[in-house]
Short mmCIF file of all heavy atoms in Angstrom, two decimals:
data_model
loop_
_atom_site.label_atom_id
_atom_site.label_comp_id
_atom_site.label_asym_id
_atom_site.label_seq_id
_atom_site.Cartn_x
_atom_site.Cartn_y
_atom_site.Cartn_z
N MET A 1 0.13 10.13 33.96
CA MET A 1 1.11 9.97 35.02
C MET A 1 1.63 8.54 35.05
O MET A 1 1.09 7.66 34.40
CB MET A 1 0.49 10.35 36.36
CG MET A 1 -0.58 9.38 36.84
SD MET A 1 -1.29 9.90 38.38
CE MET A 1 0.14 9.89 39.45
N ILE A 2 2.69 8.33 35.80
CA ILE A 2 3.29 7.01 35.87
C ILE A 2 3.03 6.41 37.25
O ILE A 2 3.26 7.05 38.27
CB ILE A 2 4.80 7.08 35.60
CG1 ILE A 2 5.05 7.62 34.19
CG2 ILE A 2 5.44 5.71 35.78
CD1 ILE A 2 6.51 7.82 33.87
N CYS A 3 2.57 5.18 37.25
CA CYS A 3 2.27 4.51 38.51
C CYS A 3 3.55 4.34 39.32
O CYS A 3 4.57 3.88 38.81
CB CYS A 3 1.62 3.18 38.22
SG CYS A 3 1.37 2.18 39.70
N GLY A 4 3.48 4.71 40.59
CA GLY A 4 4.65 4.61 41.44
C GLY A 4 4.94 3.18 41.88
O GLY A 4 5.97 2.91 42.49
N PHE A 5 4.07 2.29 41.55
CA PHE A 5 4.25 0.90 42.00
C PHE A 5 4.74 0.01 40.87
O PHE A 5 5.76 -0.65 40.98
CB PHE A 5 2.93 0.38 42.57
CG PHE A 5 3.04 -1.00 43.14
CD1 PHE A 5 3.63 -1.20 44.39
CD2 PHE A 5 2.57 -2.10 42.45
CE1 PHE A 5 3.75 -2.48 44.92
CE2 PHE A 5 2.68 -3.37 42.97
CZ PHE A 5 3.27 -3.56 44.21
N CYS A 6 4.01 0.01 39.76
CA CYS A 6 4.36 -0.90 38.66
C CYS A 6 4.97 -0.16 37.49
O CYS A 6 5.47 -0.79 36.55
CB CYS A 6 3.12 -1.68 38.21
SG CYS A 6 1.91 -0.66 37.34
N GLY A 7 4.96 1.18 37.53
CA GLY A 7 5.60 1.94 36.46
C GLY A 7 4.74 2.05 35.22
O GLY A 7 5.20 2.54 34.20
N HIS A 8 3.50 1.63 35.31
CA HIS A 8 2.61 1.71 34.17
C HIS A 8 2.20 3.16 33.93
O HIS A 8 1.77 3.84 34.84
CB HIS A 8 1.37 0.84 34.42
CG HIS A 8 0.35 0.92 33.33
ND1 HIS A 8 0.65 0.57 32.03
CD2 HIS A 8 -0.95 1.33 33.34
CE1 HIS A 8 -0.44 0.76 31.28
NE2 HIS A 8 -1.41 1.21 32.05
N GLU A 9 2.37 3.63 32.70
CA GLU A 9 2.02 5.01 32.38
C GLU A 9 0.60 5.06 31.86
O GLU A 9 0.23 4.32 30.94
CB GLU A 9 2.99 5.57 31.32
CG GLU A 9 2.80 7.05 31.10
CD GLU A 9 3.89 7.61 30.20
OE1 GLU A 9 4.74 6.84 29.74
OE2 GLU A 9 3.87 8.83 29.96
N PHE A 10 -0.18 5.92 32.46
CA PHE A 10 -1.58 6.00 32.07
C PHE A 10 -2.05 7.44 32.18
O PHE A 10 -1.41 8.28 32.84
CB PHE A 10 -2.43 5.08 32.94
CG PHE A 10 -2.36 5.41 34.42
CD1 PHE A 10 -3.31 6.24 35.00
CD2 PHE A 10 -1.33 4.91 35.20
CE1 PHE A 10 -3.24 6.55 36.34
CE2 PHE A 10 -1.25 5.23 36.55
CZ PHE A 10 -2.20 6.05 37.11
N ASP A 11 -3.16 7.69 31.52
CA ASP A 11 -3.73 9.02 31.57
C ASP A 11 -4.46 9.22 32.89
O ASP A 11 -5.22 8.37 33.32
CB ASP A 11 -4.70 9.22 30.40
CG ASP A 11 -5.05 10.68 30.23
OD1 ASP A 11 -4.77 11.47 31.16
OD2 ASP A 11 -5.60 11.03 29.18
N GLU A 12 -4.15 10.33 33.50
CA GLU A 12 -4.73 10.60 34.81
C GLU A 12 -6.27 10.64 34.74
O GLU A 12 -6.96 10.24 35.66
CB GLU A 12 -4.22 11.94 35.30
CG GLU A 12 -4.28 12.09 36.81
CD GLU A 12 -3.56 13.35 37.27
OE1 GLU A 12 -2.38 13.50 36.93
OE2 GLU A 12 -4.20 14.16 37.93
N ASN A 13 -6.78 11.09 33.61
CA ASN A 13 -8.22 11.20 33.47
C ASN A 13 -8.89 9.85 33.25
O ASN A 13 -10.08 9.70 33.45
CB ASN A 13 -8.55 12.13 32.28
CG ASN A 13 -8.07 13.54 32.54
OD1 ASN A 13 -8.13 14.02 33.67
ND2 ASN A 13 -7.56 14.21 31.52
N GLU A 14 -8.09 8.87 32.82
CA GLU A 14 -8.65 7.55 32.55
C GLU A 14 -8.64 6.67 33.80
O GLU A 14 -9.21 5.60 33.81
CB GLU A 14 -7.84 6.87 31.45
CG GLU A 14 -8.02 7.53 30.09
CD GLU A 14 -7.20 6.81 29.04
OE1 GLU A 14 -6.54 5.81 29.38
OE2 GLU A 14 -7.22 7.26 27.89
N SER A 15 -7.96 7.16 34.83
CA SER A 15 -7.86 6.34 36.03
C SER A 15 -9.17 6.36 36.79
O SER A 15 -10.09 7.12 36.49
CB SER A 15 -6.73 6.85 36.91
OG SER A 15 -7.06 8.14 37.40
N LYS A 16 -9.21 5.52 37.79
CA LYS A 16 -10.44 5.43 38.58
C LYS A 16 -10.47 6.54 39.63
O LYS A 16 -9.59 6.64 40.47
CB LYS A 16 -10.49 4.07 39.29
CG LYS A 16 -10.46 2.89 38.34
CD LYS A 16 -10.46 1.62 39.17
CE LYS A 16 -10.19 0.40 38.28
NZ LYS A 16 -10.02 -0.82 39.11
N HIS A 17 -11.49 7.33 39.55
CA HIS A 17 -11.71 8.33 40.59
C HIS A 17 -12.92 7.91 41.40
O HIS A 17 -13.94 7.53 40.85
CB HIS A 17 -11.95 9.71 39.96
CG HIS A 17 -10.69 10.34 39.43
ND1 HIS A 17 -9.78 10.99 40.22
CD2 HIS A 17 -10.19 10.39 38.18
CE1 HIS A 17 -8.78 11.44 39.47
NE2 HIS A 17 -9.00 11.08 38.22
N GLY A 18 -12.78 7.99 42.68
CA GLY A 18 -13.88 7.57 43.54
C GLY A 18 -14.08 6.08 43.47
O GLY A 18 -15.13 5.58 43.08
N CYS A 19 -13.04 5.35 43.86
CA CYS A 19 -13.10 3.90 43.76
C CYS A 19 -14.07 3.31 44.77
O CYS A 19 -14.56 2.20 44.61
CB CYS A 19 -11.72 3.30 43.97
SG CYS A 19 -11.06 3.59 45.64
N GLY A 20 -14.34 4.06 45.83
CA GLY A 20 -15.25 3.57 46.84
C GLY A 20 -14.57 2.72 47.89
O GLY A 20 -15.18 2.32 48.87
N GLY A 21 -13.28 2.44 47.68
CA GLY A 21 -12.57 1.59 48.63
C GLY A 21 -11.71 2.38 49.59
O GLY A 21 -11.20 1.84 50.56
N CYS A 22 -11.53 3.68 49.30
CA CYS A 22 -10.68 4.49 50.16
C CYS A 22 -11.52 5.14 51.25
O CYS A 22 -12.58 5.70 50.96
CB CYS A 22 -9.99 5.58 49.34
SG CYS A 22 -8.87 4.92 48.10
N PRO A 23 -11.08 5.06 52.48
CA PRO A 23 -11.82 5.68 53.58
C PRO A 23 -11.82 7.19 53.46
O PRO A 23 -10.79 7.81 53.17
CB PRO A 23 -11.04 5.22 54.82
CG PRO A 23 -9.67 4.90 54.33
CD PRO A 23 -9.84 4.41 52.92
N GLY A 24 -12.97 7.80 53.68
CA GLY A 24 -13.09 9.25 53.63
C GLY A 24 -13.13 9.79 52.22
O GLY A 24 -12.87 10.95 51.99
N GLY A 25 -13.43 8.94 51.25
CA GLY A 25 -13.51 9.40 49.87
C GLY A 25 -12.18 9.22 49.17
O GLY A 25 -11.12 9.34 49.77
N CYS A 26 -12.25 8.94 47.90
CA CYS A 26 -11.03 8.67 47.15
C CYS A 26 -10.46 9.97 46.60
O CYS A 26 -11.09 10.67 45.82
CB CYS A 26 -11.33 7.71 46.00
SG CYS A 26 -9.85 7.22 45.09
N HIS A 27 -9.27 10.31 47.04
CA HIS A 27 -8.61 11.52 46.54
C HIS A 27 -7.30 11.15 45.84
O HIS A 27 -6.37 11.94 45.81
CB HIS A 27 -8.34 12.49 47.69
CG HIS A 27 -9.58 12.96 48.37
ND1 HIS A 27 -10.48 13.83 47.77
CD2 HIS A 27 -10.08 12.68 49.59
CE1 HIS A 27 -11.47 14.06 48.61
NE2 HIS A 27 -11.25 13.36 49.72
N SER A 28 -7.24 9.97 45.35
CA SER A 28 -6.01 9.49 44.74
C SER A 28 -6.29 9.02 43.32
O SER A 28 -7.44 8.92 42.89
CB SER A 28 -5.39 8.36 45.56
OG SER A 28 -5.16 8.81 46.87
N VAL A 29 -5.21 8.74 42.61
CA VAL A 29 -5.33 8.22 41.25
C VAL A 29 -4.93 6.75 41.27
O VAL A 29 -3.80 6.41 41.54
CB VAL A 29 -4.41 9.00 40.30
CG1 VAL A 29 -4.58 8.48 38.88
CG2 VAL A 29 -4.72 10.49 40.37
N HIS A 30 -5.91 5.91 41.00
CA HIS A 30 -5.63 4.48 41.03
C HIS A 30 -5.11 4.01 39.68
O HIS A 30 -5.65 4.37 38.64
CB HIS A 30 -6.91 3.71 41.38
CG HIS A 30 -7.29 3.85 42.83
ND1 HIS A 30 -6.96 2.91 43.77
CD2 HIS A 30 -7.95 4.85 43.46
CE1 HIS A 30 -7.42 3.32 44.94
NE2 HIS A 30 -8.02 4.49 44.79
N CYS A 31 -4.06 3.23 39.72
CA CYS A 31 -3.51 2.68 38.50
C CYS A 31 -4.50 1.66 37.92
O CYS A 31 -4.98 0.78 38.64
CB CYS A 31 -2.17 2.01 38.80
SG CYS A 31 -1.46 1.13 37.40
N PRO A 32 -4.82 1.78 36.63
CA PRO A 32 -5.77 0.84 36.02
C PRO A 32 -5.18 -0.56 35.88
O PRO A 32 -5.90 -1.51 35.60
CB PRO A 32 -6.03 1.46 34.64
CG PRO A 32 -4.85 2.33 34.37
CD PRO A 32 -4.36 2.81 35.70
N ARG A 33 -3.89 -0.66 36.09
CA ARG A 33 -3.24 -1.97 35.91
C ARG A 33 -3.14 -2.74 37.23
O ARG A 33 -3.51 -3.91 37.30
CB ARG A 33 -1.84 -1.74 35.33
CG ARG A 33 -1.12 -3.01 34.92
CD ARG A 33 0.18 -2.63 34.25
NE ARG A 33 1.01 -3.79 33.96
CZ ARG A 33 2.23 -3.71 33.45
NH1 ARG A 33 2.75 -2.53 33.19
NH2 ARG A 33 2.93 -4.78 33.22
N CYS A 34 -2.61 -2.04 38.26
CA CYS A 34 -2.40 -2.75 39.53
C CYS A 34 -3.27 -2.17 40.64
O CYS A 34 -3.23 -2.65 41.75
CB CYS A 34 -0.93 -2.68 39.91
SG CYS A 34 -0.37 -1.02 40.35
N ASN A 35 -4.02 -1.11 40.30
CA ASN A 35 -4.92 -0.49 41.27
C ASN A 35 -4.16 0.15 42.43
O ASN A 35 -4.71 0.37 43.50
CB ASN A 35 -5.93 -1.51 41.81
CG ASN A 35 -7.20 -0.80 42.27
OD1 ASN A 35 -7.61 0.19 41.68
ND2 ASN A 35 -7.82 -1.30 43.32
N TYR A 36 -2.87 0.45 42.21
CA TYR A 36 -2.11 1.12 43.26
C TYR A 36 -2.62 2.54 43.42
O TYR A 36 -2.96 3.22 42.45
CB TYR A 36 -0.63 1.13 42.88
CG TYR A 36 0.23 1.95 43.82
CD1 TYR A 36 0.54 1.49 45.10
CD2 TYR A 36 0.74 3.18 43.42
CE1 TYR A 36 1.32 2.23 45.94
CE2 TYR A 36 1.53 3.93 44.25
CZ TYR A 36 1.83 3.47 45.52
OH TYR A 36 2.60 4.20 46.36
N LYS A 37 -2.66 2.99 44.66
CA LYS A 37 -3.21 4.31 44.95
C LYS A 37 -2.09 5.35 44.86
O LYS A 37 -1.33 5.56 45.80
CB LYS A 37 -3.85 4.31 46.34
CG LYS A 37 -4.66 5.55 46.62
CD LYS A 37 -5.40 5.40 47.92
CE LYS A 37 -4.43 5.52 49.10
NZ LYS A 37 -5.14 5.56 50.39
N ASN A 38 -1.99 5.99 43.71
CA ASN A 38 -0.99 7.03 43.54
C ASN A 38 -1.49 8.34 44.13
O ASN A 38 -2.64 8.72 43.93
CB ASN A 38 -0.69 7.24 42.04
CG ASN A 38 0.03 6.05 41.44
OD1 ASN A 38 1.22 5.89 41.59
ND2 ASN A 38 -0.73 5.19 40.77
N PRO A 39 -0.64 9.04 44.86
CA PRO A 39 -1.03 10.34 45.40
C PRO A 39 -1.29 11.33 44.28
O PRO A 39 -0.51 11.41 43.33
CB PRO A 39 0.16 10.75 46.26
CG PRO A 39 1.32 9.97 45.73
CD PRO A 39 0.74 8.68 45.20
N LEU A 40 -2.36 12.06 44.41
CA LEU A 40 -2.74 13.02 43.38
C LEU A 40 -1.79 14.21 43.40
O LEU A 40 -1.56 14.83 44.43
CB LEU A 40 -4.17 13.48 43.61
CG LEU A 40 -4.78 14.32 42.49
CD1 LEU A 40 -4.84 13.53 41.20
CD2 LEU A 40 -6.18 14.76 42.88
N GLU A 41 -1.20 14.49 42.25
CA GLU A 41 -0.23 15.57 42.16
C GLU A 41 -0.90 16.84 41.67
O GLU A 41 -1.43 16.87 40.56
CB GLU A 41 0.89 15.17 41.20
CG GLU A 41 2.01 16.17 41.16
CD GLU A 41 3.13 15.71 40.24
OE1 GLU A 41 2.93 15.74 39.02
OE2 GLU A 41 4.19 15.33 40.74
N PRO A 42 -0.89 17.86 42.48
CA PRO A 42 -1.50 19.12 42.05
C PRO A 42 -0.80 19.68 40.82
O PRO A 42 0.39 19.43 40.60
CB PRO A 42 -1.28 20.05 43.25
CG PRO A 42 -1.08 19.13 44.42
CD PRO A 42 -0.42 17.90 43.86
N ALA A 43 -1.54 20.45 40.05
CA ALA A 43 -1.00 20.94 38.78
C ALA A 43 0.17 21.89 39.00
O ALA A 43 1.09 21.94 38.20
CB ALA A 43 -2.10 21.62 37.99
N PHE A 44 0.14 22.64 40.09
CA PHE A 44 1.18 23.65 40.26
C PHE A 44 2.53 23.02 40.56
O PHE A 44 3.57 23.64 40.33
CB PHE A 44 0.79 24.65 41.35
CG PHE A 44 0.82 24.07 42.75
CD1 PHE A 44 1.98 24.10 43.49
CD2 PHE A 44 -0.33 23.53 43.29
CE1 PHE A 44 2.00 23.57 44.77
CE2 PHE A 44 -0.32 23.00 44.56
CZ PHE A 44 0.84 23.02 45.30
N ILE A 45 2.52 21.79 41.06
CA ILE A 45 3.80 21.13 41.30
C ILE A 45 4.51 20.86 39.97
O ILE A 45 5.72 21.02 39.86
CB ILE A 45 3.57 19.83 42.08
CG1 ILE A 45 3.18 20.16 43.52
CG2 ILE A 45 4.83 18.96 42.06
CD1 ILE A 45 3.06 18.96 44.41
N GLY A 46 3.74 20.48 38.98
CA GLY A 46 4.34 20.26 37.67
C GLY A 46 4.94 21.53 37.11
O GLY A 46 6.01 21.51 36.49
N LYS A 47 4.26 22.65 37.36
CA LYS A 47 4.80 23.93 36.88
C LYS A 47 6.08 24.27 37.62
O LYS A 47 7.01 24.82 37.05
CB LYS A 47 3.76 25.03 37.08
CG LYS A 47 2.57 24.87 36.14
CD LYS A 47 1.58 25.99 36.37
CE LYS A 47 0.39 25.82 35.43
NZ LYS A 47 -0.62 26.88 35.67
N LEU A 48 6.12 23.96 38.90
CA LEU A 48 7.33 24.23 39.69
C LEU A 48 8.50 23.42 39.15
O LEU A 48 9.62 23.93 39.05
CB LEU A 48 7.09 23.87 41.16
CG LEU A 48 6.47 24.98 42.01
CD1 LEU A 48 6.21 24.47 43.41
CD2 LEU A 48 7.38 26.18 42.06
N LYS A 49 8.25 22.20 38.79
CA LYS A 49 9.32 21.37 38.26
C LYS A 49 9.84 21.95 36.96
O LYS A 49 11.04 21.95 36.70
CB LYS A 49 8.79 19.95 38.02
CG LYS A 49 8.60 19.19 39.32
CD LYS A 49 8.09 17.79 39.02
CE LYS A 49 7.88 17.02 40.32
NZ LYS A 49 7.31 15.68 40.07
N ASN A 50 8.94 22.47 36.14
CA ASN A 50 9.38 23.07 34.89
C ASN A 50 10.26 24.29 35.15
O ASN A 50 11.24 24.52 34.45
CB ASN A 50 8.16 23.49 34.05
CG ASN A 50 7.48 22.27 33.45
OD1 ASN A 50 8.11 21.23 33.26
ND2 ASN A 50 6.20 22.39 33.15
N LEU A 51 9.92 25.06 36.16
CA LEU A 51 10.70 26.24 36.48
C LEU A 51 12.09 25.84 36.97
O LEU A 51 13.09 26.47 36.63
CB LEU A 51 9.99 27.07 37.55
CG LEU A 51 8.80 27.86 37.05
CD1 LEU A 51 8.10 28.53 38.23
CD2 LEU A 51 9.24 28.91 36.04
N LEU A 52 12.15 24.77 37.76
CA LEU A 52 13.44 24.34 38.30
C LEU A 52 14.33 23.77 37.21
O LEU A 52 15.54 23.91 37.27
CB LEU A 52 13.21 23.29 39.39
CG LEU A 52 12.61 23.84 40.69
CD1 LEU A 52 12.29 22.71 41.64
CD2 LEU A 52 13.59 24.81 41.34
N GLN A 53 13.71 23.15 36.23
CA GLN A 53 14.50 22.54 35.17
C GLN A 53 15.00 23.56 34.16
O GLN A 53 15.94 23.31 33.42
CB GLN A 53 13.67 21.48 34.44
CG GLN A 53 13.48 20.22 35.30
CD GLN A 53 12.63 19.19 34.59
OE1 GLN A 53 12.09 19.47 33.53
NE2 GLN A 53 12.51 18.01 35.16
N ARG A 54 14.36 24.71 34.15
CA ARG A 54 14.76 25.73 33.19
C ARG A 54 16.15 26.26 33.57
O ARG A 54 16.35 26.78 34.66
CB ARG A 54 13.74 26.87 33.18
CG ARG A 54 14.07 27.92 32.13
CD ARG A 54 13.13 29.08 32.26
NE ARG A 54 11.76 28.73 31.85
CZ ARG A 54 10.76 29.59 31.95
NH1 ARG A 54 10.93 30.78 32.45
NH2 ARG A 54 9.56 29.23 31.55
N LYS A 55 17.05 26.14 32.65
CA LYS A 55 18.42 26.57 32.93
C LYS A 55 18.54 28.08 32.72
O LYS A 55 18.14 28.61 31.70
CB LYS A 55 19.40 25.85 32.01
CG LYS A 55 19.49 24.37 32.32
CD LYS A 55 20.50 23.71 31.39
CE LYS A 55 20.60 22.22 31.69
NZ LYS A 55 21.54 21.55 30.76
N THR A 56 19.12 28.70 33.73
CA THR A 56 19.33 30.14 33.61
C THR A 56 20.61 30.40 32.83
O THR A 56 21.68 29.89 33.15
CB THR A 56 19.43 30.78 35.00
OG1 THR A 56 20.45 30.11 35.73
CG2 THR A 56 18.12 30.65 35.75
N SER A 57 20.48 31.21 31.81
CA SER A 57 21.65 31.52 30.99
C SER A 57 22.63 32.34 31.81
O SER A 57 22.23 33.19 32.60
CB SER A 57 21.22 32.28 29.74
OG SER A 57 20.57 33.47 30.12
N PRO A 58 23.91 32.08 31.62
CA PRO A 58 24.92 32.84 32.36
C PRO A 58 24.83 34.32 32.06
O PRO A 58 24.56 34.73 30.94
CB PRO A 58 26.25 32.25 31.88
CG PRO A 58 25.93 31.53 30.61
CD PRO A 58 24.48 31.09 30.74
N GLY A 59 25.06 35.12 33.06
CA GLY A 59 24.89 36.57 32.94
C GLY A 59 25.76 37.19 31.87
O GLY A 59 26.82 36.68 31.53
N ALA A 60 25.26 38.27 31.32
CA ALA A 60 26.00 38.95 30.26
C ALA A 60 26.77 40.13 30.85
O ALA A 60 26.61 41.27 30.45
CB ALA A 60 25.04 39.42 29.17
N LYS A 61 27.59 39.80 31.80
CA LYS A 61 28.36 40.87 32.44
C LYS A 61 29.58 41.26 31.62
O LYS A 61 30.15 42.32 31.79
CB LYS A 61 28.83 40.42 33.83
CG LYS A 61 27.70 40.28 34.83
CD LYS A 61 28.25 39.83 36.17
CE LYS A 61 27.13 39.68 37.19
NZ LYS A 61 27.66 39.19 38.48
N ASP A 62 30.00 40.34 30.73
CA ASP A 62 31.22 40.59 29.98
C ASP A 62 31.11 41.81 29.08
O ASP A 62 32.10 42.39 28.68
CB ASP A 62 31.56 39.37 29.12
CG ASP A 62 31.90 38.19 30.02
OD1 ASP A 62 32.26 38.45 31.18
OD2 ASP A 62 31.81 37.05 29.56
N ALA A 63 29.89 42.19 28.75
CA ALA A 63 29.71 43.32 27.84
C ALA A 63 30.27 44.60 28.46
O ALA A 63 30.79 45.46 27.74
CB ALA A 63 28.24 43.50 27.53
N GLU A 64 30.19 44.69 29.77
CA GLU A 64 30.67 45.92 30.41
C GLU A 64 32.19 45.96 30.47
O GLU A 64 32.79 47.02 30.50
CB GLU A 64 30.11 46.01 31.83
CG GLU A 64 28.61 46.25 31.83
CD GLU A 64 28.12 46.43 33.25
OE1 GLU A 64 28.97 46.44 34.16
OE2 GLU A 64 26.90 46.54 33.44
N ASN A 65 32.81 44.79 30.48
CA ASN A 65 34.26 44.75 30.60
C ASN A 65 34.97 44.89 29.26
O ASN A 65 36.19 44.87 29.21
CB ASN A 65 34.68 43.43 31.25
CG ASN A 65 34.21 43.40 32.70
OD1 ASN A 65 34.05 44.43 33.32
ND2 ASN A 65 33.98 42.21 33.21
N SER A 66 34.20 45.00 28.19
CA SER A 66 34.83 45.07 26.88
C SER A 66 35.69 46.33 26.75
O SER A 66 36.73 46.32 26.12
CB SER A 66 33.76 45.05 25.80
OG SER A 66 32.92 46.17 25.95
N GLU A 67 35.24 47.42 27.33
CA GLU A 67 36.01 48.65 27.24
C GLU A 67 36.74 48.91 28.56
O GLU A 67 36.13 48.92 29.61
CB GLU A 67 35.10 49.83 26.91
CG GLU A 67 34.54 49.74 25.50
CD GLU A 67 33.76 51.00 25.17
OE1 GLU A 67 33.78 51.93 26.01
OE2 GLU A 67 33.15 51.06 24.11
N ASP A 68 38.00 49.08 28.45
CA ASP A 68 38.77 49.40 29.65
C ASP A 68 38.61 50.87 29.99
O ASP A 68 38.62 51.73 29.12
CB ASP A 68 40.25 49.11 29.42
CG ASP A 68 40.49 47.63 29.33
OD1 ASP A 68 39.70 46.86 29.92
OD2 ASP A 68 41.44 47.25 28.63
N LYS A 69 38.47 51.09 31.27
CA LYS A 69 38.32 52.49 31.70
C LYS A 69 39.71 53.12 31.80
O LYS A 69 40.50 52.78 32.67
CB LYS A 69 37.61 52.55 33.05
CG LYS A 69 36.17 52.09 32.96
CD LYS A 69 35.52 52.17 34.33
CE LYS A 69 34.07 51.72 34.26
NZ LYS A 69 33.44 51.71 35.59
N LYS A 70 39.98 54.01 30.88
CA LYS A 70 41.27 54.68 30.90
C LYS A 70 41.14 56.02 31.64
O LYS A 70 40.69 57.01 31.10
CB LYS A 70 41.79 54.91 29.49
CG LYS A 70 42.09 53.61 28.76
CD LYS A 70 42.56 53.87 27.37
CE LYS A 70 42.85 52.54 26.66
NZ LYS A 70 43.27 52.76 25.26
N SER A 71 41.51 55.97 32.87
CA SER A 71 41.38 57.18 33.67
C SER A 71 42.76 57.66 34.12
O SER A 71 42.93 58.21 35.18
CB SER A 71 40.49 56.93 34.88
OG SER A 71 41.05 55.92 35.66
N LYS A 72 43.75 57.40 33.24
CA LYS A 72 45.10 57.83 33.60
C LYS A 72 45.31 59.28 33.20
O LYS A 72 45.20 59.65 32.05
CB LYS A 72 46.14 56.96 32.90
CG LYS A 72 46.15 55.54 33.43
CD LYS A 72 47.19 54.74 32.69
CE LYS A 72 47.18 53.30 33.20
NZ LYS A 72 48.15 52.48 32.46
N THR A 73 45.58 60.06 34.17
CA THR A 73 45.86 61.46 33.89
C THR A 73 47.30 61.76 34.27
O THR A 73 47.70 61.56 35.40
CB THR A 73 44.91 62.38 34.69
OG1 THR A 73 45.02 62.06 36.05
CG2 THR A 73 43.51 62.24 34.19
N SER A 74 48.06 62.24 33.29
CA SER A 74 49.45 62.51 33.57
C SER A 74 49.67 63.94 33.99
O SER A 74 48.85 64.77 33.73
CB SER A 74 50.32 62.23 32.32
OG SER A 74 49.89 63.07 31.28
ZN1 ZN B 101 0.36 0.34 38.65
ZN1 ZN B 102 -9.50 5.15 45.91
#
């Protein structure tokens, strides 16, 4: 992840967990460079972002309009 303070990119698993300095237990990811307390991002949020970024292809409605309905009865 990328530190929200200094922009340093680091592996979430390499960061400090349980720094002992956060009240009520450490539930954040501390930047190894500036020790900024980044909020821990749940995994499902990343999946949601991927879903939002996925572009939906435009509908294939034109296939139905290829044939004109000739219902003229003389
Ligand atoms: Zn940082
Ligand atoms: Zn902490």
Side-chain angles (χ1 to χ4, degrees):
M1 68 182 300
I2 298 176
C3 174
F5 184 77
C6 70
H8 177 60
E9 188 172 2
F10 60 94
D11 194 346
E12 203 171 305
N13 295 323
E14 291 180 1
S15 66
K16 301 178 189 173
H17 286 279
C19 65
C22 297
C26 184
H27 298 290
S28 303
V29 182
H30 287 263
C31 174
R33 188 174 173 185
C34 68
N35 206 35
Y36 173 73
K37 191 173 73 173
N38 291 280
L40 189 62
E41 186 178 72
F44 70 88
I45 288 185
K47 290 181 180 178
L48 273 177
K49 286 181 180 176
N50 286 335
L51 285 175
L52 288 174
Q53 287 179 353
R54 184 186 290 177
K55 292 181 180 178
T56 55
S57 59
K61 291 180 180 178
D62 294 339
E64 292 184 4
N65 293 334
S66 61
E67 291 186 6
D68 290 333
K69 293 180 180 177
K70 295 179 180 178
S71 60
K72 292 180 181 177
T73 55
S74 60

